[in-house]
């Protein structure tokens, strides 16, 4: 009788080493940029040989993919569940709030994406996924039959949402205000702005 061959799972030690590599690479990418971080720097930080690094990841792009894929996969899953357009303002708001929570729950990957406001440094495959996410989330910020003016406002709202969560280093802050309180105010503002664009629908 043949026994079923099951795929081997990574050992705990190997999985732990992968996570360490991703953590260290994330820190170095954020500090020095993706282009400014050679594989030798990642290996040196971990006290690995480059051969040991290649055992876990084929290339620097493979490491970057390991950092970003959980975030990109989570956004893909959220978009797959969404309709072509939301029928009402409340469902649209719930989607955008959930989307923002996905970004916040993958904050380390978001830090890497925020290295530069331009995504020209990203490999094409990752860049295409991010561009699709950007375009599709903007579409979902719009209700059917919106005026041109309200569509522009929806685009601006999405820009604000992304900038609030992704590009946080160069923004002005109110002294003494916690990030959590700031985010509450931003959510209230976005919700009110979305309601204003849907008043005619």
């Amino acid at each position: 009788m043949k026994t079923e061959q099951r795929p081997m799972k990574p050992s705990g030690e190997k999985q732990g080493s992968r996570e360490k590599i991703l953590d260290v690479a994330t820190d170095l990418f954020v500090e020095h940029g993706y282009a400014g971080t050679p594989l030798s720097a990642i290996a040196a930080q971990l006290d690995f040989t480059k051969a040991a690094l290649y055992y876990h990841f084929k290339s620097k792009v493979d490491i970057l993919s390991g950092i970003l894929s959980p975030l990109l996969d989570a956004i893909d899953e959220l978009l797959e569940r969404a309709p072509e357009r939301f029928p009402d303002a409340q469902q649209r708001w719930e989607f955008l709030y959930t989307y923002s929570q996905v970004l916040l729950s993958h904050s380390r990957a978001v830090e890497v994406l925020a290295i530069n406001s331009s995504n020209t440094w990203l490999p094409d495959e990752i860049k295409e996924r991010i561009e699709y996410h950007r375009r599709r989330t903007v579409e979902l910020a719009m209700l059917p039959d919106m005026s041109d003016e309200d569509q522009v406002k929806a685009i601006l709202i999405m820009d604000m949402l992304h900038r609030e969560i992704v590009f946080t280093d160069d923004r002005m802050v109110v002294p003494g205000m916690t990030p959590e309180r700031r985010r509450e105010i931003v959510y209230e503002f976005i919700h009110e702005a979305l309601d204003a664009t849907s008043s005619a629908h």
Side-chain angles (χ1 to χ4, degrees):
M1 181 194 302
K2 286 187 178 179
T3 57
E4 183 182 353
Q5 294 286 329
R6 299 196 176 193
M8 291 182 64
K9 294 183 178 179
S11 68
E13 183 179 349
K14 181 176 179 181
Q15 187 63 25
S17 295
R18 283 179 59 88
E19 293 305 318
K20 285 179 185 176
I21 293 167
L22 294 176
D23 285 344
V24 166
T26 297
D27 289 339
L28 292 174
F29 290 165
V30 170
E31 185 176 355
H32 302 292
Y34 176 74
T37 304
L39 282 173
S40 57
I42 299 172
Q45 188 78 11
L46 289 157
D47 200 22
F48 278 14
T49 63
K50 285 183 75 173
L53 201 62
Y54 282 127
Y55 175 70
H56 298 281
F57 294 97
K58 295 178 292 185
S59 64
K60 190 165 73 165
V61 172
D62 198 23
I63 294 175
L64 180 66
S65 180
I67 294 168
L68 298 182
S69 286
L71 167 63
L72 301 182
D73 291 346
I75 296 173
D76 280 338
E77 184 179 345
L78 182 64
L79 293 177
E80 284 170 8
R81 298 198 306 264
E84 185 63 27
R85 290 287 176 92
F86 289 104
D88 59 61
Q90 182 58 31
Q91 289 183 45
R92 177 182 61 171
W93 162 246
E94 290 170 359
F95 166 79
L96 293 182
Y97 179 79
T98 302
Y99 170 62
S100 75
Q101 294 302 299
V102 169
L103 295 178
L104 289 169
S105 67
H106 294 82
S107 59
R108 294 293 279 157
V110 168
E111 280 187 75
V112 172
L113 288 177
I115 290 170
N116 192 304
S117 58
S118 166
N119 65 6
T120 54
W121 58 275
L122 289 167
D124 286 343
E125 181 181 351
I126 294 174
K127 193 189 307 180
E128 287 167 8
R129 288 183 74 184
I130 291 172
E131 175 57 25
Y132 167 71
H133 292 164
R134 186 199 65 78
R135 186 177 67 252
R136 186 72 184 105
T137 51
V138 167
E139 288 176 352
L140 288 166
M142 299 179 186
L143 295 176
D145 303 320
M146 264 187 163
S147 68
D148 290 349
E149 181 181 352
D150 282 344
Q151 288 185 56
V152 170
K153 290 177 181 177
I155 293 169
L156 291 174
I157 288 167
M158 288 305 297
D159 285 346
M160 182 194 308
L161 180 66
H162 282 127
R163 184 163 185 82
E164 176 64 23
I165 295 174
V166 179
F167 301 109
T168 59
D169 288 344
D170 59 348
R171 69 186 180 195
M172 294 183 65
V173 297
V174 176
M177 181 178 289
T178 65
E180 291 77 17
R181 178 56 187 147
R182 178 191 172 96
R183 194 166 296 124
E184 285 177 9
I185 294 169
V186 170
Y187 281 145
E188 289 169 7
F189 184 86
I190 289 175
H191 200 170
E192 290 170 3
L194 286 170
D195 285 345
T197 65
S198 62
S199 59
H201 300 278

